[in-house]
Amino acid sequence: MTSTGIRLHAPAPGWALAADVVVVGSGVAGLTAALRCEAAGLRTVVVTKARLDDGSTRWAQGGVAAALGEGDTPEQHLDDTLVAGAGLCDAEAVRILVTEGPDAVRRLIATGAHFDESTEGGLALTREGGHHRRRIAHAGGDATGAEISRALVEAVRAHGVRTVENALVLDLLTDAEGRTAGVTLHVMGEGQHDGVGAVHAPAVVLATGGMGQVFSATTNPSVATGDGVALALRAGAEVSDLEFLQFHPTVLFLGPDAEGQQPLVSEAVRGEGAHLVDADGVRFMVGQHELAELAPRDIVAKGITRRMQEKGAAHMYLDARHFGAAMWENRFPTILAACRAHGIDPVTEPIPIAPAAHHASGGVRTDAHGRTTVPGLYACGEVACTGVHGANRLASNSLLEGLVYAERIVSDIAAGHADGTLHARVPAPLPRPADPAHPLLPSEARLTIQRIMTEGAGVLRSAESLTRAADRLHHLHTEAREALHDNGKTSEPGVDTWEATNLLCVARVLVAAAARREETRGCHWREDHADRDDTTWRRHIVVRLNPDRTLAVHTTDTPEFPPTVHGAQPTHRPQEQ
């Protein structure tokens, strides 16, 4: 796979660092990779968009799923994951996750993460949607992500790993042979480094998290703007399964016009016995699935949305009044505080909830070692598509995926340094191309993109809604291109305009994939194709960016991913969009 030659419009780097590995992102995947790289003796630089502890990991409430309880087995965990993934999981990727997962969690505990314990002294385990056993390890009641982030950040600082905070990654650098040579980045504010610079390295690990900010309402923090996926596309990498963006069923409803990050009401609340009800107090999930409120997330989100349509309501309710004050205060203190901050007391009243964008099951396509289709570029965590999640992520598998696949990436990088596959010395990146860079959108385009996506590619989708969304996104895309072509003008380079441009890139890919998949599967729900079609669509949709900035979309021949062979061509004729 060769680079597209496309880059963001930005000043030339004014400073540079050299490393063996640059890790982009500071969630569970990124910091685990950084710690393992440091332990392997690799010169490592962590680049993160905000502070080290400001990524999506800290917002994770439920916990980490692993077969750690008595009577539970990796095979049972595998079965639950495959069912939730609706026929599109890579079985081998899932087997790696569930078999290597328990030891990965134990290593996390050894790193310093403190999980809640039962009265008998072992791990306190709970259930969430799609799990047939109690296998979710949690911390601080409902503050698992915050505890994991704390432990990993402290370990990274204790080991002296070099970090560059408040830095937005811009583009991948490549050498004359098309191999990874580092990244360019922009550091926001004053410090040791400022403005646009570069980290030169033969290996780059993308752990940039999700893209939830592409929708108006999301559980994701404001930094989740799809930067890693957009960078990978510009670098020539393939992305897959981007249509499968999961909407969390129970997000605190703050009003029909609420935008940006919304408070999450963890699935663990339902795991402990909370009920979904409508305004009349009817438990509408009973009878829809054997697990009722604990069905996989796509089924619960659809059930809530259908009931909202039937009742003409903007939200449903989560009723956990029977928990009592003590359980709320001890088991779910974070959620209790968030609800009360918005004038809702779950001890005495049901919580208004509605689905909101939550987690991308797809992303940059990788193999079992985190390798993408660009030599030297790796991806793990939410930015990656390892095949673990299929069409719908099983609750609390995401933190485990970050742990397991970060460790596998580092094993591959360390082996590559040892045998010379990855250059021990930092490769020389190609000089900046003379042709005009990718035009930037104005910062206000962010809200426009979010509204287009919410209206056209949200929980409910159809050919009509997706066509309308694609047309509106295309208009934004061509408007920016024409302005650059006709008069050489583009929006001023800056964090807001880079983020808006990245959001448009991932939005176009998501809509193109969703329009291509004419069926309902997992968290992709087509109103005009309500049934799952295994004969035609038990396949993956793979997208890459052409040098002329059009999208090449193709469908795999089988449910298995093709290998990430550098320079491999799709087996179907791409459809240019």
Side-chain angles (χ1 to χ4, degrees), residues 340-377:
R340 285 177 170 170
H342 291 282
I344 300 153
D345 188 351
V347 176
T348 61
E349 60 186 317
I351 305 167
I353 54 88
H358 183 55
H359 188 279
S361 293
V364 184
R365 190 167 76 79
T366 74
D367 65 8
H369 299 282
R371 294 176 292 212
T372 74
T373 52
V374 174
L377 179 64

PDB file of all heavy atoms in Angstrom, residues 340-377:
ATOM      1  N   ARG A 340     -27.390  13.716  39.812  1.00  0.00           N
ATOM      2  CA  ARG A 340     -27.783  14.790  40.740  1.00  0.00           C
ATOM      3  C   ARG A 340     -27.309  16.151  40.255  1.00  0.00           C
ATOM      4  O   ARG A 340     -27.985  17.164  40.478  1.00  0.00           O
ATOM      5  CB  ARG A 340     -27.246  14.480  42.136  1.00  0.00           C
ATOM      6  CG  ARG A 340     -28.038  13.373  42.826  1.00  0.00           C
ATOM      7  CD  ARG A 340     -27.479  13.008  44.190  1.00  0.00           C
ATOM      8  NE  ARG A 340     -28.398  12.128  44.914  1.00  0.00           N
ATOM      9  CZ  ARG A 340     -28.103  11.493  46.054  1.00  0.00           C
ATOM     10  NH1 ARG A 340     -26.889  11.648  46.600  1.00  0.00           N
ATOM     11  NH2 ARG A 340     -28.993  10.721  46.644  1.00  0.00           N
ATOM     12  N   ALA A 341     -26.160  16.179  39.566  1.00  0.00           N
ATOM     13  CA  ALA A 341     -25.677  17.448  39.016  1.00  0.00           C
ATOM     14  C   ALA A 341     -26.636  18.015  37.979  1.00  0.00           C
ATOM     15  O   ALA A 341     -26.661  19.226  37.728  1.00  0.00           O
ATOM     16  CB  ALA A 341     -24.289  17.261  38.410  1.00  0.00           C
ATOM     17  N   HIS A 342     -27.421  17.119  37.359  1.00  0.00           N
ATOM     18  CA  HIS A 342     -28.394  17.552  36.355  1.00  0.00           C
ATOM     19  C   HIS A 342     -29.825  17.525  36.894  1.00  0.00           C
ATOM     20  O   HIS A 342     -30.792  17.509  36.127  1.00  0.00           O
ATOM     21  CB  HIS A 342     -28.283  16.675  35.113  1.00  0.00           C
ATOM     22  CG  HIS A 342     -27.002  16.880  34.356  1.00  0.00           C
ATOM     23  ND1 HIS A 342     -26.792  17.955  33.525  1.00  0.00           N
ATOM     24  CD2 HIS A 342     -25.847  16.155  34.340  1.00  0.00           C
ATOM     25  CE1 HIS A 342     -25.569  17.883  33.008  1.00  0.00           C
ATOM     26  NE2 HIS A 342     -24.986  16.814  33.481  1.00  0.00           N
ATOM     27  N   GLY A 343     -29.958  17.536  38.220  1.00  0.00           N
ATOM     28  CA  GLY A 343     -31.268  17.660  38.837  1.00  0.00           C
ATOM     29  C   GLY A 343     -32.089  16.389  38.909  1.00  0.00           C
ATOM     30  O   GLY A 343     -33.308  16.442  39.076  1.00  0.00           O
ATOM     31  N   ILE A 344     -31.436  15.236  38.784  1.00  0.00           N
ATOM     32  CA  ILE A 344     -32.148  13.950  38.821  1.00  0.00           C
ATOM     33  C   ILE A 344     -31.590  13.126  39.978  1.00  0.00           C
ATOM     34  O   ILE A 344     -30.367  12.970  40.106  1.00  0.00           O
ATOM     35  CB  ILE A 344     -31.961  13.185  37.501  1.00  0.00           C
ATOM     36  CG1 ILE A 344     -32.507  13.999  36.339  1.00  0.00           C
ATOM     37  CG2 ILE A 344     -32.633  11.813  37.553  1.00  0.00           C
ATOM     38  CD1 ILE A 344     -31.843  13.686  35.021  1.00  0.00           C
ATOM     39  N   ASP A 345     -32.468  12.576  40.821  1.00  0.00           N
ATOM     40  CA  ASP A 345     -32.031  11.740  41.929  1.00  0.00           C
ATOM     41  C   ASP A 345     -32.483  10.305  41.675  1.00  0.00           C
ATOM     42  O   ASP A 345     -33.651   9.965  41.889  1.00  0.00           O
ATOM     43  CB  ASP A 345     -32.613  12.229  43.250  1.00  0.00           C
ATOM     44  CG  ASP A 345     -32.010  11.493  44.445  1.00  0.00           C
ATOM     45  OD1 ASP A 345     -31.273  10.503  44.213  1.00  0.00           O
ATOM     46  OD2 ASP A 345     -32.255  11.899  45.591  1.00  0.00           O
ATOM     47  N   PRO A 346     -31.593   9.439  41.212  1.00  0.00           N
ATOM     48  CA  PRO A 346     -31.988   8.063  40.872  1.00  0.00           C
ATOM     49  C   PRO A 346     -32.424   7.234  42.071  1.00  0.00           C
ATOM     50  O   PRO A 346     -33.002   6.155  41.900  1.00  0.00           O
ATOM     51  CB  PRO A 346     -30.730   7.483  40.225  1.00  0.00           C
ATOM     52  CG  PRO A 346     -29.615   8.330  40.709  1.00  0.00           C
ATOM     53  CD  PRO A 346     -30.169   9.691  40.934  1.00  0.00           C
ATOM     54  N   VAL A 347     -32.153   7.728  43.280  1.00  0.00           N
ATOM     55  CA  VAL A 347     -32.630   7.017  44.470  1.00  0.00           C
ATOM     56  C   VAL A 347     -34.146   7.107  44.587  1.00  0.00           C
ATOM     57  O   VAL A 347     -34.806   6.189  45.068  1.00  0.00           O
ATOM     58  CB  VAL A 347     -31.950   7.582  45.738  1.00  0.00           C
ATOM     59  CG1 VAL A 347     -32.497   6.916  46.992  1.00  0.00           C
ATOM     60  CG2 VAL A 347     -30.436   7.396  45.666  1.00  0.00           C
ATOM     61  N   THR A 348     -34.710   8.206  44.084  1.00  0.00           N
ATOM     62  CA  THR A 348     -36.146   8.453  44.262  1.00  0.00           C
ATOM     63  C   THR A 348     -36.926   8.563  42.960  1.00  0.00           C
ATOM     64  O   THR A 348     -38.155   8.629  42.999  1.00  0.00           O
ATOM     65  CB  THR A 348     -36.354   9.750  45.066  1.00  0.00           C
ATOM     66  OG1 THR A 348     -35.772  10.850  44.338  1.00  0.00           O
ATOM     67  CG2 THR A 348     -35.701   9.649  46.438  1.00  0.00           C
ATOM     68  N   GLU A 349     -36.233   8.589  41.799  1.00  0.00           N
ATOM     69  CA  GLU A 349     -36.937   8.740  40.523  1.00  0.00           C
ATOM     70  C   GLU A 349     -36.194   8.010  39.410  1.00  0.00           C
ATOM     71  O   GLU A 349     -34.984   7.829  39.468  1.00  0.00           O
ATOM     72  CB  GLU A 349     -37.087  10.222  40.169  1.00  0.00           C
ATOM     73  CG  GLU A 349     -35.757  10.945  40.021  1.00  0.00           C
ATOM     74  CD  GLU A 349     -35.909  12.446  39.810  1.00  0.00           C
ATOM     75  OE1 GLU A 349     -36.785  12.841  39.022  1.00  0.00           O
ATOM     76  OE2 GLU A 349     -35.132  13.208  40.430  1.00  0.00           O
ATOM     77  N   PRO A 350     -36.927   7.558  38.382  1.00  0.00           N
ATOM     78  CA  PRO A 350     -36.266   6.921  37.237  1.00  0.00           C
ATOM     79  C   PRO A 350     -35.383   7.927  36.495  1.00  0.00           C
ATOM     80  O   PRO A 350     -35.649   9.141  36.504  1.00  0.00           O
ATOM     81  CB  PRO A 350     -37.433   6.454  36.365  1.00  0.00           C
ATOM     82  CG  PRO A 350     -38.630   6.471  37.251  1.00  0.00           C
ATOM     83  CD  PRO A 350     -38.388   7.551  38.253  1.00  0.00           C
ATOM     84  N   ILE A 351     -34.348   7.403  35.841  1.00  0.00           N
ATOM     85  CA  ILE A 351     -33.397   8.250  35.114  1.00  0.00           C
ATOM     86  C   ILE A 351     -33.820   8.345  33.650  1.00  0.00           C
ATOM     87  O   ILE A 351     -33.973   7.320  32.977  1.00  0.00           O
ATOM     88  CB  ILE A 351     -31.977   7.643  35.176  1.00  0.00           C
ATOM     89  CG1 ILE A 351     -31.548   7.394  36.622  1.00  0.00           C
ATOM     90  CG2 ILE A 351     -30.979   8.535  34.444  1.00  0.00           C
ATOM     91  CD1 ILE A 351     -30.296   6.522  36.734  1.00  0.00           C
ATOM     92  N   PRO A 352     -34.006   9.555  33.114  1.00  0.00           N
ATOM     93  CA  PRO A 352     -34.304   9.675  31.677  1.00  0.00           C
ATOM     94  C   PRO A 352     -33.075   9.319  30.860  1.00  0.00           C
ATOM     95  O   PRO A 352     -31.976   9.825  31.112  1.00  0.00           O
ATOM     96  CB  PRO A 352     -34.683  11.143  31.519  1.00  0.00           C
ATOM     97  CG  PRO A 352     -34.003  11.847  32.647  1.00  0.00           C
ATOM     98  CD  PRO A 352     -33.950  10.873  33.782  1.00  0.00           C
ATOM     99  N   ILE A 353     -33.239   8.417  29.883  1.00  0.00           N
ATOM    100  CA  ILE A 353     -32.099   7.961  29.074  1.00  0.00           C
ATOM    101  C   ILE A 353     -32.486   7.893  27.598  1.00  0.00           C
ATOM    102  O   ILE A 353     -33.670   7.813  27.255  1.00  0.00           O
ATOM    103  CB  ILE A 353     -31.576   6.582  29.535  1.00  0.00           C
ATOM    104  CG1 ILE A 353     -32.701   5.526  29.587  1.00  0.00           C
ATOM    105  CG2 ILE A 353     -30.868   6.680  30.877  1.00  0.00           C
ATOM    106  CD1 ILE A 353     -32.964   4.786  28.313  1.00  0.00           C
ATOM    107  N   ALA A 354     -31.465   7.929  26.742  1.00  0.00           N
ATOM    108  CA  ALA A 354     -31.635   7.741  25.294  1.00  0.00           C
ATOM    109  C   ALA A 354     -30.302   7.272  24.730  1.00  0.00           C
ATOM    110  O   ALA A 354     -29.238   7.551  25.314  1.00  0.00           O
ATOM    111  CB  ALA A 354     -32.075   9.039  24.616  1.00  0.00           C
ATOM    112  N   PRO A 355     -30.301   6.557  23.604  1.00  0.00           N
ATOM    113  CA  PRO A 355     -29.033   6.133  23.005  1.00  0.00           C
ATOM    114  C   PRO A 355     -28.207   7.319  22.508  1.00  0.00           C
ATOM    115  O   PRO A 355     -28.752   8.339  22.072  1.00  0.00           O
ATOM    116  CB  PRO A 355     -29.481   5.249  21.834  1.00  0.00           C
ATOM    117  CG  PRO A 355     -30.858   4.795  22.189  1.00  0.00           C
ATOM    118  CD  PRO A 355     -31.466   5.975  22.915  1.00  0.00           C
ATOM    119  N   ALA A 356     -26.876   7.163  22.561  1.00  0.00           N
ATOM    120  CA  ALA A 356     -25.955   8.168  22.017  1.00  0.00           C
ATOM    121  C   ALA A 356     -24.718   7.453  21.500  1.00  0.00           C
ATOM    122  O   ALA A 356     -24.381   6.345  21.951  1.00  0.00           O
ATOM    123  CB  ALA A 356     -25.570   9.196  23.079  1.00  0.00           C
ATOM    124  N   ALA A 357     -24.030   8.072  20.548  1.00  0.00           N
ATOM    125  CA  ALA A 357     -22.830   7.475  19.950  1.00  0.00           C
ATOM    126  C   ALA A 357     -21.807   7.153  21.033  1.00  0.00           C
ATOM    127  O   ALA A 357     -21.526   7.981  21.902  1.00  0.00           O
ATOM    128  CB  ALA A 357     -22.229   8.435  18.929  1.00  0.00           C
ATOM    129  N   HIS A 358     -21.242   5.934  20.947  1.00  0.00           N
ATOM    130  CA  HIS A 358     -20.406   5.472  22.052  1.00  0.00           C
ATOM    131  C   HIS A 358     -19.065   4.893  21.624  1.00  0.00           C
ATOM    132  O   HIS A 358     -18.022   5.373  22.046  1.00  0.00           O
ATOM    133  CB  HIS A 358     -21.196   4.439  22.851  1.00  0.00           C
ATOM    134  CG  HIS A 358     -20.479   3.916  24.062  1.00  0.00           C
ATOM    135  ND1 HIS A 358     -19.985   4.754  25.047  1.00  0.00           N
ATOM    136  CD2 HIS A 358     -20.178   2.644  24.459  1.00  0.00           C
ATOM    137  CE1 HIS A 358     -19.413   4.027  25.995  1.00  0.00           C
ATOM    138  NE2 HIS A 358     -19.499   2.752  25.654  1.00  0.00           N
ATOM    139  N   HIS A 359     -19.068   3.851  20.789  1.00  0.00           N
ATOM    140  CA  HIS A 359     -17.812   3.145  20.510  1.00  0.00           C
ATOM    141  C   HIS A 359     -17.774   2.656  19.072  1.00  0.00           C
ATOM    142  O   HIS A 359     -18.744   2.089  18.572  1.00  0.00           O
ATOM    143  CB  HIS A 359     -17.680   1.937  21.449  1.00  0.00           C
ATOM    144  CG  HIS A 359     -16.346   1.255  21.385  1.00  0.00           C
ATOM    145  ND1 HIS A 359     -16.017   0.350  20.395  1.00  0.00           N
ATOM    146  CD2 HIS A 359     -15.248   1.335  22.184  1.00  0.00           C
ATOM    147  CE1 HIS A 359     -14.782  -0.086  20.589  1.00  0.00           C
ATOM    148  NE2 HIS A 359     -14.300   0.499  21.667  1.00  0.00           N
ATOM    149  N   ALA A 360     -16.648   2.869  18.411  1.00  0.00           N
ATOM    150  CA  ALA A 360     -16.457   2.409  17.033  1.00  0.00           C
ATOM    151  C   ALA A 360     -15.945   0.975  17.049  1.00  0.00           C
ATOM    152  O   ALA A 360     -14.855   0.697  17.559  1.00  0.00           O
ATOM    153  CB  ALA A 360     -15.472   3.314  16.306  1.00  0.00           C
ATOM    154  N   SER A 361     -16.738   0.049  16.490  1.00  0.00           N
ATOM    155  CA  SER A 361     -16.286  -1.335  16.394  1.00  0.00           C
ATOM    156  C   SER A 361     -15.278  -1.498  15.262  1.00  0.00           C
ATOM    157  O   SER A 361     -14.455  -2.412  15.286  1.00  0.00           O
ATOM    158  CB  SER A 361     -17.479  -2.272  16.164  1.00  0.00           C
ATOM    159  OG  SER A 361     -18.314  -2.298  17.301  1.00  0.00           O
ATOM    160  N   GLY A 362     -15.366  -0.644  14.250  1.00  0.00           N
ATOM    161  CA  GLY A 362     -14.416  -0.676  13.154  1.00  0.00           C
ATOM    162  C   GLY A 362     -13.320   0.356  13.334  1.00  0.00           C
ATOM    163  O   GLY A 362     -13.294   1.102  14.311  1.00  0.00           O
ATOM    164  N   GLY A 363     -12.408   0.394  12.365  1.00  0.00           N
ATOM    165  CA  GLY A 363     -11.308   1.351  12.439  1.00  0.00           C
ATOM    166  C   GLY A 363     -10.216   0.973  11.458  1.00  0.00           C
ATOM    167  O   GLY A 363     -10.487   0.359  10.415  1.00  0.00           O
ATOM    168  N   VAL A 364      -8.986   1.305  11.785  1.00  0.00           N
ATOM    169  CA  VAL A 364      -7.842   1.010  10.923  1.00  0.00           C
ATOM    170  C   VAL A 364      -7.616  -0.506  10.942  1.00  0.00           C
ATOM    171  O   VAL A 364      -7.436  -1.102  12.000  1.00  0.00           O
ATOM    172  CB  VAL A 364      -6.577   1.741  11.392  1.00  0.00           C
ATOM    173  CG1 VAL A 364      -5.431   1.487  10.421  1.00  0.00           C
ATOM    174  CG2 VAL A 364      -6.842   3.236  11.528  1.00  0.00           C
ATOM    175  N   ARG A 365      -7.618  -1.119   9.770  1.00  0.00           N
ATOM    176  CA  ARG A 365      -7.557  -2.579   9.690  1.00  0.00           C
ATOM    177  C   ARG A 365      -6.181  -3.098  10.093  1.00  0.00           C
ATOM    178  O   ARG A 365      -5.159  -2.623   9.583  1.00  0.00           O
ATOM    179  CB  ARG A 365      -7.899  -3.025   8.267  1.00  0.00           C
ATOM    180  CG  ARG A 365      -8.110  -4.513   8.132  1.00  0.00           C
ATOM    181  CD  ARG A 365      -8.737  -4.857   6.804  1.00  0.00           C
ATOM    182  NE  ARG A 365      -7.813  -4.799   5.684  1.00  0.00           N
ATOM    183  CZ  ARG A 365      -6.942  -5.759   5.392  1.00  0.00           C
ATOM    184  NH1 ARG A 365      -6.875  -6.835   6.159  1.00  0.00           N
ATOM    185  NH2 ARG A 365      -6.164  -5.649   4.342  1.00  0.00           N
ATOM    186  N   THR A 366      -6.172  -4.079  11.012  1.00  0.00           N
ATOM    187  CA  THR A 366      -4.912  -4.653  11.481  1.00  0.00           C
ATOM    188  C   THR A 366      -4.971  -6.176  11.437  1.00  0.00           C
ATOM    189  O   THR A 366      -6.026  -6.785  11.288  1.00  0.00           O
ATOM    190  CB  THR A 366      -4.604  -4.250  12.935  1.00  0.00           C
ATOM    191  OG1 THR A 366      -5.458  -4.973  13.834  1.00  0.00           O
ATOM    192  CG2 THR A 366      -4.782  -2.758  13.158  1.00  0.00           C
ATOM    193  N   ASP A 367      -3.798  -6.787  11.628  1.00  0.00           N
ATOM    194  CA  ASP A 367      -3.740  -8.240  11.797  1.00  0.00           C
ATOM    195  C   ASP A 367      -3.624  -8.555  13.282  1.00  0.00           C
ATOM    196  O   ASP A 367      -3.805  -7.683  14.139  1.00  0.00           O
ATOM    197  CB  ASP A 367      -2.598  -8.836  10.977  1.00  0.00           C
ATOM    198  CG  ASP A 367      -1.211  -8.392  11.445  1.00  0.00           C
ATOM    199  OD1 ASP A 367      -1.103  -7.728  12.512  1.00  0.00           O
ATOM    200  OD2 ASP A 367      -0.222  -8.694  10.750  1.00  0.00           O
ATOM    201  N   ALA A 368      -3.313  -9.786  13.601  1.00  0.00           N
ATOM    202  CA  ALA A 368      -3.278 -10.230  14.996  1.00  0.00           C
ATOM    203  C   ALA A 368      -2.130  -9.612  15.788  1.00  0.00           C
ATOM    204  O   ALA A 368      -2.090  -9.730  17.021  1.00  0.00           O
ATOM    205  CB  ALA A 368      -3.172 -11.754  15.058  1.00  0.00           C
ATOM    206  N   HIS A 369      -1.198  -8.934  15.109  1.00  0.00           N
ATOM    207  CA  HIS A 369      -0.088  -8.250  15.792  1.00  0.00           C
ATOM    208  C   HIS A 369      -0.221  -6.729  15.701  1.00  0.00           C
ATOM    209  O   HIS A 369       0.735  -6.010  15.984  1.00  0.00           O
ATOM    210  CB  HIS A 369       1.246  -8.697  15.201  1.00  0.00           C
ATOM    211  CG  HIS A 369       1.505 -10.162  15.354  1.00  0.00           C
ATOM    212  ND1 HIS A 369       1.927 -10.731  16.537  1.00  0.00           N
ATOM    213  CD2 HIS A 369       1.354 -11.191  14.479  1.00  0.00           C
ATOM    214  CE1 HIS A 369       2.044 -12.034  16.386  1.00  0.00           C
ATOM    215  NE2 HIS A 369       1.708 -12.344  15.142  1.00  0.00           N
ATOM    216  N   GLY A 370      -1.401  -6.254  15.320  1.00  0.00           N
ATOM    217  CA  GLY A 370      -1.636  -4.821  15.271  1.00  0.00           C
ATOM    218  C   GLY A 370      -1.042  -4.131  14.061  1.00  0.00           C
ATOM    219  O   GLY A 370      -1.035  -2.901  13.987  1.00  0.00           O
ATOM    220  N   ARG A 371      -0.532  -4.910  13.079  1.00  0.00           N
ATOM    221  CA  ARG A 371       0.080  -4.319  11.892  1.00  0.00           C
ATOM    222  C   ARG A 371      -0.999  -3.864  10.912  1.00  0.00           C
ATOM    223  O   ARG A 371      -1.925  -4.613  10.605  1.00  0.00           O
ATOM    224  CB  ARG A 371       1.005  -5.334  11.218  1.00  0.00           C
ATOM    225  CG  ARG A 371       2.205  -5.705  12.066  1.00  0.00           C
ATOM    226  CD  ARG A 371       3.049  -6.789  11.421  1.00  0.00           C
ATOM    227  NE  ARG A 371       2.360  -8.065  11.379  1.00  0.00           N
ATOM    228  CZ  ARG A 371       2.973  -9.245  11.468  1.00  0.00           C
ATOM    229  NH1 ARG A 371       4.287  -9.303  11.610  1.00  0.00           N
ATOM    230  NH2 ARG A 371       2.280 -10.363  11.427  1.00  0.00           N
ATOM    231  N   THR A 372      -0.876  -2.663  10.395  1.00  0.00           N
ATOM    232  CA  THR A 372      -1.790  -2.146   9.389  1.00  0.00           C
ATOM    233  C   THR A 372      -1.240  -2.461   8.003  1.00  0.00           C
ATOM    234  O   THR A 372      -0.233  -3.150   7.862  1.00  0.00           O
ATOM    235  CB  THR A 372      -1.970  -0.628   9.539  1.00  0.00           C
ATOM    236  OG1 THR A 372      -0.777   0.035   9.065  1.00  0.00           O
ATOM    237  CG2 THR A 372      -2.219  -0.226  10.986  1.00  0.00           C
ATOM    238  N   THR A 373      -1.880  -1.923   6.973  1.00  0.00           N
ATOM    239  CA  THR A 373      -1.402  -2.144   5.607  1.00  0.00           C
ATOM    240  C   THR A 373      -0.271  -1.193   5.224  1.00  0.00           C
ATOM    241  O   THR A 373       0.192  -1.221   4.082  1.00  0.00           O
ATOM    242  CB  THR A 373      -2.564  -1.997   4.607  1.00  0.00           C
ATOM    243  OG1 THR A 373      -3.233  -0.751   4.840  1.00  0.00           O
ATOM    244  CG2 THR A 373      -3.568  -3.133   4.757  1.00  0.00           C
ATOM    245  N   VAL A 374       0.179  -0.352   6.145  1.00  0.00           N
ATOM    246  CA  VAL A 374       1.341   0.521   5.925  1.00  0.00           C
ATOM    247  C   VAL A 374       2.494  -0.007   6.771  1.00  0.00           C
ATOM    248  O   VAL A 374       2.362  -0.117   7.997  1.00  0.00           O
ATOM    249  CB  VAL A 374       1.026   1.986   6.299  1.00  0.00           C
ATOM    250  CG1 VAL A 374       2.282   2.856   6.195  1.00  0.00           C
ATOM    251  CG2 VAL A 374      -0.081   2.544   5.424  1.00  0.00           C
ATOM    252  N   PRO A 375       3.629  -0.364   6.188  1.00  0.00           N
ATOM    253  CA  PRO A 375       4.751  -0.921   6.957  1.00  0.00           C
ATOM    254  C   PRO A 375       5.192   0.005   8.087  1.00  0.00           C
ATOM    255  O   PRO A 375       5.440   1.195   7.869  1.00  0.00           O
ATOM    256  CB  PRO A 375       5.864  -1.064   5.903  1.00  0.00           C
ATOM    257  CG  PRO A 375       5.157  -1.117   4.594  1.00  0.00           C
ATOM    258  CD  PRO A 375       3.944  -0.252   4.740  1.00  0.00           C
ATOM    259  N   GLY A 376       5.264  -0.546   9.282  1.00  0.00           N
ATOM    260  CA  GLY A 376       5.710   0.227  10.437  1.00  0.00           C
ATOM    261  C   GLY A 376       4.609   0.966  11.171  1.00  0.00           C
ATOM    262  O   GLY A 376       4.851   1.523  12.240  1.00  0.00           O
ATOM    263  N   LEU A 377       3.405   0.983  10.620  1.00  0.00           N
ATOM    264  CA  LEU A 377       2.275   1.639  11.270  1.00  0.00           C
ATOM    265  C   LEU A 377       1.418   0.572  11.943  1.00  0.00           C
ATOM    266  O   LEU A 377       0.932  -0.357  11.294  1.00  0.00           O
ATOM    267  CB  LEU A 377       1.440   2.429  10.263  1.00  0.00           C
ATOM    268  CG  LEU A 377       0.196   3.142  10.833  1.00  0.00           C
ATOM    269  CD1 LEU A 377       0.601   4.219  11.839  1.00  0.00           C
ATOM    270  CD2 LEU A 377      -0.656   3.736   9.712  1.00  0.00           C
TER     271      LEU A 377
END
